[in-house]
């Protein structure tokens, strides 16, 4: 049976983009363009996941989320927002959402995050605050990365790159996926920007360590994992 998801988004173009993408992947999609209708649908039907815009007319996304959790609705919720500061992310995650994705975003990343939430089936804590691989740990709230207790000092783009890789542990990610998911490029700019950042990230994460975590998969891309 196809999974059914709810998209609550007031921007028609964005809603079309999301709905069309999920429908092409076999999902059944319901839509609402304001918070009140979204709340009604979310409490009236069962969904595998809810994609919820933060800024909505009638009732904003945070109010919708609060009402859902207050009513005991535990459906996984991913918030979409143009507000991408650390404080805004913390507010979203600690208010009952299961994930928080900043606009603009690549559909491939949204799809991957929604599928992960569905697979979890709410068995994990509501707010994912850490990611990890082997002895490497990323604290999403503190924006802090450590390996064996050693702080790994990353620039914002390096942090975002590592976060993407950690969300795809043991999966091969291509340059195209990274360009879309980390740089928001929907085309190849014809530069070696990905390779340069991967090289810098590898030095910070793996240099001096016996077991490398960031691997190059020849002819395919890169993979984060505990074994080569």
């Amino acid at each position: 049976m196809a999974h059914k998801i709810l998209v609550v988004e007031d921007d028609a173009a964005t809603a079309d983009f999301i709905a069309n993408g999920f429908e092409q992947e076999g999902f059944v999609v319901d839509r609402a363009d304001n918070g009140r209708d979204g709340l009604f649908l979310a409490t009236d039907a069962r969904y595998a996941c809810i994609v919820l815009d933060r800024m909505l007319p009638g009732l904003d996304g945070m109010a919708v989320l609060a009402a859902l959790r207050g009513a005991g609705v535990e459906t996984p919720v991913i918030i979409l927002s143009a507000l991408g500061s650390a404080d805004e992310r913390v507010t979203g995650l600690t208010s009952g959402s299961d994930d928080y994705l900043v606009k603009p975003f690549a559909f491939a990343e949204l799809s991957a995050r929604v599928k992960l939430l569905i697979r979890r089936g709410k068995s994990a804590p509501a707010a994912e605050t850490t990611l990890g691989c082997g002895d490497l740990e990323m604290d999403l709230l503190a924006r802090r990365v450590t390996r064996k207790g050693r702080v790994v000092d990353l620039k914002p783009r390096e942090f975002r790159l590592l976060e993407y890789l950690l969300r795809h542990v043991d999966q091969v990610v291509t340059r195209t996926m990274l360009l879309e998911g980390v740089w928001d490029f929907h085309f190849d700019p014809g530069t070696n920007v990905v390779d340069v950042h991967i090289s810098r990230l590898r030095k910070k994460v793996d240099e001096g360590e016996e077991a490398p975590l960031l691997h190059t998969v020849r002819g395919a891309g890169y993979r984060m994992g505990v074994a080569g």
Side-chain angles (χ1 to χ4, degrees):
M1 179 181 293
H3 286 297
K4 187 176 184 180
I5 65 173
L6 174 63
V7 176
V8 188
E9 168 63 65
D10 64 316
D11 181 77
T14 302
D16 286 343
F17 170 68
I18 296 171
N20 291 339
F22 279 114
E23 287 170 350
Q24 289 177 17
E25 292 189 341
F27 287 81
V28 175
V29 181
D30 284 348
R31 292 169 54 168
D33 60 7
N34 64 81
R36 295 189 186 281
D37 289 346
L39 178 59
F40 174 78
L41 288 172
T43 54
D44 188 58
R46 296 189 64 179
Y47 294 97
C49 189
I50 299 171
V51 179
L52 178 65
D53 185 29
R54 182 163 182 170
M55 306 297 287
L56 292 166
L59 199 65
D60 71 24
M62 299 305 292
V64 171
L65 180 61
L68 287 175
R69 297 308 186 225
V73 176
E74 294 298 320
T75 305
V77 174
I78 179 169
I79 291 179
L80 302 180
S81 177
L83 305 175
S85 70
D87 287 343
E88 295 294 347
R89 289 182 181 223
V90 170
T91 299
L93 290 169
T94 57
S95 296
S97 73
D98 299 85
D99 204 347
Y100 192 106
L101 184 59
V102 178
K103 296 180 179 180
F105 56 87
F107 176 77
E109 182 173 6
L110 174 61
S111 176
R113 293 189 182 204
V114 166
K115 290 172 184 175
L116 178 59
L117 292 178
I118 292 174
R119 286 199 302 271
R120 281 184 190 161
K122 293 298 293 179
S123 60
E128 180 183 41
T129 59
T130 62
L131 298 171
C133 177
D135 51 18
L136 180 75
E137 182 171 313
M138 171 179 281
D139 186 325
L140 294 171
L141 300 185
R143 308 292 288 179
R144 184 170 181 266
V145 176
T146 58
R147 184 164 187 189
K148 294 179 181 176
R150 169 180 63 89
V151 175
V152 181
D153 185 22
L154 300 179
K155 295 180 179 179
R157 185 72 68 178
E158 294 167 343
F159 187 95
R160 190 172 177 185
L161 174 59
L162 180 58
E163 179 182 352
Y164 188 93
L165 291 167
L166 288 174
R167 291 187 183 278
H168 297 80
V169 167
D170 292 327
Q171 300 176 31
V172 176
V173 295
T174 66
R175 291 181 75 257
T176 299
M177 290 171 66
L178 292 173
L179 286 169
E180 287 190 355
V182 180
W183 280 268
D184 299 318
F185 289 164
H186 298 283
F187 62 94
D188 190 335
T191 70
N192 64 343
V193 61
V194 172
D195 308 296
V196 169
H197 279 78
I198 285 286
S199 177
R200 291 174 180 170
L201 182 61
R202 178 179 279 124
K203 286 182 179 179
K204 293 184 177 183
V205 169
D206 283 340
E207 195 168 79
E209 299 289 345
E210 293 182 6
L213 296 176
L214 182 49
H215 310 279
T216 298
V217 182
R218 293 188 181 279
Y222 305 95
R223 182 178 65 81
M224 200 78 186
V226 294

